[in-house]
């Protein structure tokens, strides 16, 4: 079990006091001397347990509005002293510094204060100085001291006190030291990211981790770092898997394009939409989304921009799907959907998603701004003699939104606010178009009068020619090829309309 050390004293100074009382009571039961500060000292004494004020130890009061309380050699000397070092022990005796064996300190809630949109002054006051110093000192000296640096560690520490009766092993002290440095590095990263105004430096940290069943495949380990509870109420079903989370992420980002639109439903598989429709009723939106590819919908992720009612739920219930996401569920709809025990049901909360993206690449990290640009008719360029009708313009923007969230190279075919088919992740744009046409025909869609969206420009007129041959009437694409005029000329010769957005939407 490692080197045991009997704890004789503890310093306690915490912001969060939930769950602290049982630890105080156990320390008292074990005759461990307690030093404390301010509100924590009062909390302890209200439990009927004595605590020595830090001011009594240091002979200095808390000053500067509480900014300086524990920053004193009599505190840090007692924490950092090496118990096996005769010179350290001699100096402790010389300056009457007591050894401190347990440090229970947490940090001001900096991230919560930032999230509350508080003033800059309020946020700055939540940058902890004394607490972070105590944590680092105690963690550094884990050979002699145990550091409890978060209320999330209270239960584990209490169990150590109970089982060891005040004796703590080196392994336990070292484990808690690692936790302490994780807390301090996360805290510093949050402060840096708040204050940073342009320095190119990558600092990301997440407190919460979920152990997944496995990664992308069963032989890979998988974890999710982040707090899903901030984004969802998880109402039912098995635990989200690695692949579920990727699909849910794709679904949330796609549906954000339709947040305030008429009832819209999307079905996704392997991060791509296999069905999307916008209709007067949610039930019809679901049915028309499903019609685009009922085969791929099996085992997919479903998402709605409206509360799911019983009528829609009755249709969904007949499909095997992994996840259903919506802003809410009527009670009778929820009862029905819970009929499949493994079906994951998520209520999406209305929170702001991150505006940046990153992922590992080679021996580093790729970082970019999120693609938050949505094509709008106000900024497009009408480049052909024929101008798309109002109906076609609506369909073009609908198709463009889906295209933006589909793996490149991609072509999306749509009509009447319904996805007909898409070619996804192809190595050529022609292949993507051929795939989309073949799929639309397989599910008996009439492409006459449909529209086509492309995530990038056409280097040659071959795609507009193929589209014209199957009845496509209008095209939306970024433009920007040195041979744009060839595609424009073809459209003009065949009375097709085409608009340029000026924005490429690659997604890899």
């Amino acid at each position: 079990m490692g080197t045991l050390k009997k704890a004789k004293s503890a310093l306690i100074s915490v912001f969060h006091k939930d769950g602290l009382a049982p630890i105080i009571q156990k320390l008292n039961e074990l005759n461990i001397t307690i030093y404390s500060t301010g509100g924590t000292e009062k909390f302890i004494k209200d439990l009927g347990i004595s605590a020595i004020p830090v001011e009594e130890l240091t002979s200095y009061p808390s000053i500067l509005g509480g900014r300086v309380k524990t920053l004193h050699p009599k505190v840090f000397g007692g924490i950092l002293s090496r118990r096996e070092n005769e010179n350290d022990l001699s100096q402790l005796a010389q300056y009457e510094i007591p050894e401190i064996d347990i440090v229970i300190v947490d940090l001001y809630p900096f991230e919560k204060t930032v999230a509350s949109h508080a003033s800059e002054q309020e946020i700055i006051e939540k940058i902890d100085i004394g607490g972070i110093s105590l944590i680092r000192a105690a963690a550094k000296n884990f050979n002699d001291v145990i550091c409890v640096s978060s209320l999330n560690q209270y239960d584990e520490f209490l169990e150590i006190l109970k089982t060891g009766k005040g004796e703590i092993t080196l392994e336990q002290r070292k484990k808690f030291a690692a936790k302490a440095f994780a807390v301090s590095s996360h805290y510093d990263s949050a402060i840096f990211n708040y204050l940073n105004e342009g320095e190119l430096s990558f600092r990301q940290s997440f407190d919460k981790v979920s152990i997944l069943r496995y990664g992308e495949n069963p032989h890979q380990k998988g974890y999710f770092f982040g707090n899903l509870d901030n984004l969802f109420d998880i109402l039912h079903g098995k635990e989200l898997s690695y692949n579920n989370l990727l699909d849910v992420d794709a679904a949330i980002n796609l549906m954000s394009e339709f947040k305030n639109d008429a009832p819209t439903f999307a079905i996704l598989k392997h991060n791509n939409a296999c069905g999307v429709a916008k209709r007067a009723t949610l039930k019809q939106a679901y049915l028309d989304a499903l019609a685009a590819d009922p085969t791929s919908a099996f085992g997919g992720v479903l998402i709605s921009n409206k509360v799911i009612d019983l009528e829609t739920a009755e249709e969904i219930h007949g499909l095997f799907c992994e996840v259903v996401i919506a802003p809410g569920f009527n009670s009778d709809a929820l009862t029905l959907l819970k009929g499949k025990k493994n079906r994951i049901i998520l209520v999406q909360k209305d929170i702001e998603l991150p505006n940046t993206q990153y992922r590992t690449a080679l021996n580093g990290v790729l970082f970019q701004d999120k693609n938050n640009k949505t094509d709008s008719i106000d900024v497009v360029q009408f480049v052909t003699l024929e101008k798309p009708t109002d109906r076609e313009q609506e369909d073009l923007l609908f198709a463009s939104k889906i295209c933006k969230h589909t793996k490149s190279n991609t072509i999306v075919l749509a009509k009447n606010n319904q996805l007909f088919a898409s070619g996804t992740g192809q190595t050529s744009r022609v292949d993507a178009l051929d795939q989309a046409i073949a799929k639309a025909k397989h599910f008996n869609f009439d492409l006459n009068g449909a529209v086509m969206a492309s995530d990038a420009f056409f280097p040659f007129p071959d795609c507009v020619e193929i589209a014209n041959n199957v009845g496509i009437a209008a095209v939306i694409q970024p433009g920007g090829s040195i041979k744009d005029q060839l595609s424009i000329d073809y459209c003009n010769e065949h009375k097709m309309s085409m608009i340029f957005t000026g924005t490429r939407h690659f997604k890899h």
Side-chain angles (χ1 to χ4, degrees), residues 62 76 93 166 190 209 268 336 354:
S62 172
F76 282 85
V209 59
L268 290 90
L336 177 64

Side-chain angles (χ1 to χ4, degrees), residues 2-297:
T3 306
L4 282 171
K5 285 190 180 288
K6 179 78 172 178
K8 301 173 185 175
S9 62
L11 171 64
I12 308 174
S13 180
V14 297
F15 186 90
H16 302 96
K17 299 171 182 65
D18 296 342
L20 183 63
I23 291 175
I24 302 296
Q25 290 158 348
K26 178 54 68 173
L27 292 173
N28 183 61
E29 181 184 316
L30 294 169
N31 295 315
I32 293 173
T33 302
I34 299 174
Y35 298 91
S36 193
T37 64
T40 308
E41 180 193 343
K42 181 179 184 303
F43 177 83
I44 294 169
K45 289 181 175 177
D46 286 347
L47 294 173
I49 295 171
S50 62
I52 300 171
V54 165
E55 293 88 345
E56 186 176 309
L57 172 64
T58 63
S59 299
Y60 266 91
S62 172
I63 62 173
L64 305 181
R67 282 189 166 198
V68 180
K69 289 181 284 193
T70 56
L71 296 168
H72 194 281
K74 281 204 170 183
V75 174
F76 282 85
I79 295 170
L80 286 166
S81 63
R82 294 156 291 188
R83 310 312 197 250
E84 311 301 325
N85 185 300
E86 290 185 8
N87 187 52
D88 283 8
L89 296 178
S90 173
Q91 289 186 335
L92 290 186
Q94 178 183 354
Y95 296 108
E96 299 180 334
I97 299 173
E99 295 177 357
I100 297 175
D101 307 310
I102 298 169
V103 173
I104 304 175
V105 177
D106 64 4
L107 300 171
Y108 293 151
F110 178 82
E111 289 176 284
K112 286 185 178 179
T113 307
V114 172
S116 72
H117 305 292
S119 68
E120 182 175 274
Q121 185 57 41
E122 289 174 300
I123 291 169
I124 296 303
E125 286 304 316
K126 287 298 185 289
I127 296 179
D128 207 311
I129 302 301
I132 203 81
S133 302
L134 290 167
I135 286 172
R136 291 179 64 84
K140 175 179 179 176
N141 200 26
F142 66 83
N143 194 57
D144 298 299
V145 179
I146 189 166
C147 179
V148 182
S149 53
S150 167
L151 64 86
N152 297 325
Q153 300 164 19
Y154 287 178
D155 289 344
E156 185 178 357
F157 178 65
L158 179 60
E159 191 59 31
I160 288 172
L161 290 178
K162 287 179 177 177
T163 56
K165 297 180 180 178
E167 290 189 327
I168 303 169
T169 69
L170 177 61
E171 287 84 356
Q172 290 166 339
R173 297 192 299 273
K174 192 171 184 178
K175 179 181 178 181
F176 273 73
K179 291 175 185 281
F181 283 114
V183 167
S184 81
S185 65
H186 176 83
Y187 197 74
D188 287 340
S189 293
I191 295 168
F192 167 79
N193 288 327
Y194 170 74
L195 294 174
N196 185 33
E197 293 183 350
E199 180 179 336
L200 292 178
S201 181
F202 183 75
R203 298 283 187 278
Q204 293 294 331
S205 177
F206 297 94
D207 264 343
K208 190 169 182 179
V209 59
S210 300
I211 300 173
L212 307 176
R213 296 195 299 274
Y214 49 80
E216 201 160 6
N217 299 292
H219 63 278
Q220 296 170 269
K221 292 180 180 179
Y223 309 90
F224 176 76
F225 291 89
N227 192 346
L228 287 174
D229 293 337
N230 290 339
L231 184 58
F232 300 113
D233 288 325
I234 303 174
L235 303 184
H236 182 72
K238 62 184 179 181
E239 291 183 359
L240 285 156
S241 70
Y242 184 98
N243 292 327
N244 287 156
L245 289 167
L246 288 175
D247 281 335
V248 167
D249 178 70
I252 292 295
N253 282 295
L254 172 61
M255 194 52 69
S256 68
E257 303 283 351
F258 303 96
K259 181 178 179 180
N260 299 314
D261 287 8
T264 305
F265 217 104
I267 304 171
L268 290 90
K269 193 76 169 287
H270 296 295
N271 308 164
N272 293 308
C274 57
V276 186
K278 180 164 58 174
R279 292 291 182 261
T281 68
L282 193 59
K283 173 186 174 181
Q284 196 59 50
Y286 167 73
L287 291 173
D288 288 349
L290 181 64
D293 188 349
T295 303
S296 295

Side-chain angles (χ1 to χ4, degrees), residues 372-414:
N372 284 327
K373 190 168 184 179
T374 299
D375 295 330
S376 165
I377 211 68
D378 299 331
V379 297
V380 302
Q381 182 183 2
F382 296 92
V383 296
T384 52
L385 297 175
E386 293 284 333
K387 184 177 180 179
T389 65
D390 290 347
R391 172 76 265 172
E392 288 168 345
Q393 289 181 33
E394 187 175 351
D395 280 342
L396 287 167
L397 296 179
F398 174 85
S400 175
K401 290 176 179 179
I402 300 169
C403 194
K404 171 184 168 182
H405 294 276
T406 304
K407 294 288 185 181
S408 300
N409 287 312
T410 184
I411 293 288
V412 169
L413 305 179

